[in-house]
Amino acid sequence: MTVSDLPVGVLPSKSLIGYNDELKDGLANGYQFTELVDQLLLTNDANQLLTAVLQLINFDLNTKQVQFPNQYQKNDWYLLFMTRLLELHQNSNFSLASATDHQELGLFLAGSGVRARFQFELDTSYNGGAFFTEIETKRRLFYLNLAKKELFFNSHDLVELFGTELRAIISADARMTAIHVMMDFAAALSSDFAFTVDYNILTVANTYQFEFKEANLAPELLDKLFVLSAKDEIIMQNATDEYGAKLALPGNIIVNLLQNIGNDNQPFWYLTVIDANERQSWFDVLMNYDFIYQWYQTDLASLEIQANQRVFGAKPNHVEANRVQVEVLQPHYSEEG
């Protein structure tokens, strides 16, 4: 066979250029990914931290020629962002855990010990973002959207997890320690990035009006509270200047249950929690006073303080998570009690 009889080919120097370029692109993509991870893990600048996590959440590590079989998922980047921001604000009341046999992170909060494990679960609806979730119970404690800069606490699941499921095994003070870690994270988002934060049932401002799910409460609901309070030697009295009632609790805490007229000229009921230092929320009251918690939970359909219905209006479909095999990472805490 002569040279003229050979099939048309390419020069050796040109033969694998496309293939090699794809490999280079894949490796460069992987290197860019590692730089973002370094930024997330090592930066002391809050803005760089947010920039890194936003890019990692949307980063596609795999390319046509370079595939990475072992990868952390989007929800893990949310968790790393949360713990790094807490770390930047000198809050170490948590333990970050890693599975030993695969890439997955979990979080434990001071106060709840190993009785509750938390992760983020992605919101697959049009809202985007993710829910901070207790894995075993599937309680979604708050919603976080980093792109829209918003965080909303979920009154229902906060009360169910910390008020009901952990009430008998963890003290009120310990439960509030775990709650304050989440609140500190929300406060850091607000101060560092001007996030919109709805503390909902955790709000401590004296002027905040906690509106009930049922606007016009039935009179017998107040009668029930009167009876329950009397058993605890706390007498419910008429409100001083408005239509309603008040409870004077130990520690100079006043709970007012008041009726007002809305913009639609219809009456509605709400409550306020008043204390001199503005440290007490309705959630605090529910955690510390069993008779009030009993009253609230018995008629939850009427008395519940509603969370943001755009994100908490419907439960998403959940995929059962694997149980994390705990490896405590720094920073960690040493729980007492």
Side-chain angles (χ1 to χ4, degrees):
M1 179 179 292
T2 65
V3 172
S4 61
D5 296 327
L6 292 175
V8 177
V10 295
L11 294 174
S13 60
K14 305 283 188 181
S15 59
L16 298 178
I17 285 180
Y19 170 78
N20 203 39
D21 285 344
E22 289 177 347
L23 283 178
K24 290 178 182 178
D25 290 343
L27 294 172
N29 189 60
Y31 181 72
Q32 181 186 357
F33 176 81
T34 63
E35 287 188 316
L36 287 172
V37 175
D38 277 344
Q39 184 173 323
L40 180 67
L41 297 179
L42 302 176
T43 185
N44 290 318
D45 182 274
N47 289 314
Q48 290 184 8
L49 188 67
L50 182 59
T51 298
V53 73
L54 285 171
Q55 292 185 61
L56 285 168
I57 287 171
N58 296 301
F59 201 100
D60 189 354
L61 183 55
N62 291 331
T63 61
K64 180 179 179 181
Q65 296 296 346
V66 180
Q67 306 285 312
F68 295 85
N70 301 316
Q71 297 185 34
Y72 284 97
Q73 303 302 310
K74 290 183 178 182
N75 57 309
D76 293 310
W77 302 127
Y78 279 94
L79 200 60
L80 276 172
F81 170 77
M82 177 180 177
T83 53
R84 285 287 354 266
L85 188 60
L86 286 168
E87 192 177 36
L88 290 183
H89 284 263
Q90 290 77 53
N91 188 321
S92 58
N93 287 328
F94 60 86
S95 286
L96 187 62
S98 175
T100 58
D101 58 346
H102 63 285
Q103 278 63 46
E104 183 186 6
L105 298 176
L107 186 69
F108 299 92
L109 301 180
S112 61
V114 297
R115 299 177 184 88
R117 177 171 63 89
F118 303 92
Q119 291 178 328
F120 280 93
E121 291 189 347
L122 300 181
D123 183 354
T124 57
S125 75
Y126 66 90
N127 290 312
F131 296 102
F132 186 67
T133 305
E134 202 288 312
I135 294 304
E136 301 302 326
T137 61
K138 299 302 181 186
R139 297 298 181 190
R140 303 178 299 161
L141 305 181
F142 64 77
Y143 167 81
L144 176 64
N145 192 310
L146 296 172
K148 296 179 181 178
K149 293 189 174 182
E150 56 188 22
L151 184 150
F152 306 133
F153 281 99
N154 182 8
S155 56
H156 181 82
D157 283 8
L158 283 167
V159 172
E160 289 300 316
L161 179 62
F162 290 97
T164 302
E165 288 146 2
L166 298 178
R167 195 179 193 92
I169 56 177
I170 302 177
S171 70
D173 286 345
R175 281 175 277 149
M176 289 311 301
T177 299
I179 291 293
H180 286 148
V181 177
M182 293 182 279
M183 294 180 70
D184 287 348
F185 173 60
L189 290 174
S190 179
S191 63
D192 290 356
F193 312 114
F195 268 55
T196 297
V197 175
D198 177 12
Y199 289 96
N200 194 251
I201 200 170
L202 301 176
T203 304
V204 296
N206 287 348
T207 56
Y208 189 83
Q209 297 183 0
F210 297 93
E211 293 189 22
F212 297 110
K213 186 174 183 179
E214 187 173 293
N216 197 13
L217 295 184
E220 56 264 27
L221 292 179
L222 296 182
D223 294 339
K224 289 180 181 180
L225 182 58
F226 177 82
V227 172
L228 290 170
S229 65
K231 290 180 180 178
D232 272 39
E233 299 183 349
I234 297 174
I235 304 302
M236 191 167 72
Q237 305 170 13
N238 289 329
T240 304
D241 299 316
E242 300 173 86
Y243 181 73
K246 70 176 181 179
L247 288 170
L249 303 175
N252 294 319
I253 300 168
I254 304 295
V255 174
N256 293 304
L257 297 100
L258 305 171
Q259 189 184 63
N260 205 342
I261 303 299
N263 294 329
D264 57 358
N265 292 320
Q266 296 299 313
F268 70 95
W269 283 87
Y270 66 94
L271 65 85
T272 61
V273 179
I274 311 295
D275 70 294
N277 297 314
E278 291 195 307
R279 293 179 180 173
Q280 299 293 310
S281 67
W282 179 232
F283 185 83
D284 287 279
V285 172
L286 291 174
M287 294 303 100
N288 287 298
Y289 294 93
D290 289 342
F291 79 91
I292 298 178
Y293 172 76
Q294 179 186 344
W295 173 73
Y296 182 78
Q297 283 293 93
T298 301
D299 289 287
L300 194 63
S302 299
L303 298 174
E304 185 164 39
I305 308 301
Q306 287 200 95
N308 186 292
Q309 291 301 291
R310 171 167 64 85
V311 296
F312 297 117
K315 294 272 187 182
N317 294 323
H318 289 292
V319 177
E320 190 69 25
N322 295 322
R323 180 180 295 273
V324 166
Q325 298 181 40
V326 176
E327 173 190 348
V328 177
L329 307 179
Q330 294 296 332
H332 65 278
Y333 70 91
S334 179
E335 186 182 16
E336 298 179 356

